[in-house]
Amino acid sequence: YLLDPATDERQLVLDLSGEVSTDSERGLLGVEFSPDGRWLYSSSTDLGGTSRLQAHELVGGFPLDPGQAVPIMEIDQPFSNHNGGDLATGPDGHLYWAMGDGGSAGDPEDNGQDPQPLLGNILRIDPRPLDRGYVVPSDNPFVGNPDLLDEIWLWGLRNPWKISFDPATGDLWIGDVGQGDWEEITRVDAGSGGWNLGWNCFEGFASFAGCEVLNHLEPTVVYDHGQGVSVTGGHVYRGSSIPGLGGAYVFGDFGSGTIWTLPAGATQAETTSLNVGGLSAFGQDPDGELWTVSIGGEVSRIVAG
């Protein structure tokens, strides 16, 4: 839907409900616009559970016809959970697609540390809707490396649930859902690819499978399951309506509804008084102000208290 905050009016943009599986953790998992505004990209699981990236041309007004979707990329999923699926356009103009480890528990197929499957990674591509596909940027970190796939930007993830770029610095922020003990947030320096984020050798800072990791990038901050059970990644606040929050990363937890802020340069998050039940996503408007989305359908703007 296209929402007008001034009037609360909404307009249907795209309805994929007849083509998307919604059991377990499947569904419509991410949307993003192309830098030129011509295409809307959608990330979803089809009726068979396969992750798919599609392009929808923004011509002729709304609603868009799902039958005119252009296929860009598909990834098979061995289980119904840990699909990841979020999309974000980087400051470089490339599209980043976050993929979970394929599901079940404990990464039974070792996708997080296997350099060959596309699962358990953040992928970086240039979609080519007119050619019904994509190309790999030539400066991706593993281009030409026979041991890792060209599309991979970062690897060693469990279930990245929401990624975002800081519009001021270009840093990439990732919320990665933990297994049984730790939820983690990781900041990746702008333009810095090739890192291994450690799953399933590590959960947070703690050893999990007991293996070693080369080129390991540890989390920026973690929290235990006494505070929440499923992290929802957010955004760095770059708005102007909340004094003192500028430059802080704002994130939360789906299970507890707690929302935290992580001031710039800090490694300890601060708890806010906000709580959103079923917190499934954050949004950022053109003014840098933040919004929350609940799985129940509520959309709310975060304002100064």
Side-chain angles (χ1 to χ4, degrees):
Y1 285 92
L2 177 65
L3 174 67
D4 184 342
T7 63
D8 288 336
E9 293 182 358
R10 63 180 186 173
Q11 182 180 10
L12 179 64
V13 173
L14 178 65
D15 183 0
L16 295 174
S17 57
E19 304 179 8
V20 172
S21 52
T22 57
D23 58 306
S24 187
E25 297 174 7
R26 294 167 170 164
L28 176 61
L29 303 173
V31 293
E32 181 63 294
F33 292 96
S34 63
D36 63 5
R38 179 177 178 179
W39 302 92
L40 172 68
Y41 299 118
S42 68
S43 165
S44 64
T45 51
D46 68 14
L47 295 177
T50 298
S51 288
R52 64 180 182 182
L53 176 62
Q54 296 180 303
H56 312 267
E57 193 169 13
L58 297 172
V59 295
F62 301 135
L64 302 174
D65 182 359
Q68 298 299 313
V70 179
I72 301 297
M73 191 174 182
E74 290 189 348
I75 300 175
D76 290 336
Q77 292 285 353
F79 302 98
S80 63
N81 59 337
H82 299 184
N83 297 284
D86 200 17
L87 297 170
T89 299
D92 50 19
H94 302 309
L95 185 66
Y96 292 71
W97 194 16
M99 297 303 302
D101 66 6
S104 189
D107 195 8
E109 298 192 352
D110 275 334
N111 289 320
Q113 290 301 309
D114 187 335
Q116 287 301 322
L118 292 172
L119 298 170
N121 308 303
I122 291 180
L123 312 176
R124 179 181 185 245
I125 63 170
D126 276 338
R128 292 289 189 266
L130 297 180
D131 298 326
R132 302 176 71 84
Y134 66 93
V135 298
V136 174
S138 60
D139 59 346
N140 271 12
F142 303 117
V143 169
N145 184 337
D147 295 327
L148 290 109
L149 297 178
D150 292 351
E151 293 90 342
I152 297 174
W153 182 250
L154 302 165
W155 57 310
L157 292 113
R158 182 177 181 272
N159 188 28
W161 189 248
K162 304 309 175 187
I163 63 175
S164 66
F165 287 92
D166 181 346
T169 68
D171 294 345
L172 172 62
W173 289 84
I174 306 164
D176 198 12
V177 179
Q179 178 67 49
D181 296 309
W182 298 100
E183 304 296 307
E184 55 190 86
I185 294 290
T186 303
R187 181 188 64 80
V188 184
D189 288 342
S192 179
W195 293 103
N196 185 330
L197 273 64
W199 174 254
N200 68 349
C201 294
F202 290 87
E203 181 191 11
F205 296 106
S207 175
F208 184 83
C211 42
E212 296 184 0
V213 176
L214 297 176
N215 209 28
H216 186 196
L217 180 64
E218 292 186 326
T220 303
V221 66
V222 301
Y223 64 90
D224 64 33
H225 281 192
Q227 303 175 77
V229 296
S230 182
V231 67
T232 298
H235 294 267
V236 174
Y237 181 72
R238 295 297 180 186
S240 59
S241 68
I242 308 178
L245 193 61
Y249 179 71
V250 182
F251 67 100
D253 187 88
F254 173 81
S256 67
T258 304
I259 293 179
W260 292 273
T261 64
L262 182 65
T267 56
Q268 183 66 44
E270 301 174 358
T271 305
T272 72
S273 60
L274 302 177
N275 190 281
V276 176
L279 177 63
S280 58
F282 288 85
Q284 189 174 46
D285 65 27
D287 295 324
E289 303 301 331
L290 299 183
W291 297 70
T292 65
V293 179
S294 169
I295 198 169
E298 297 83 8
V299 178
S300 305
R301 181 180 172 183
I302 298 177
V303 298

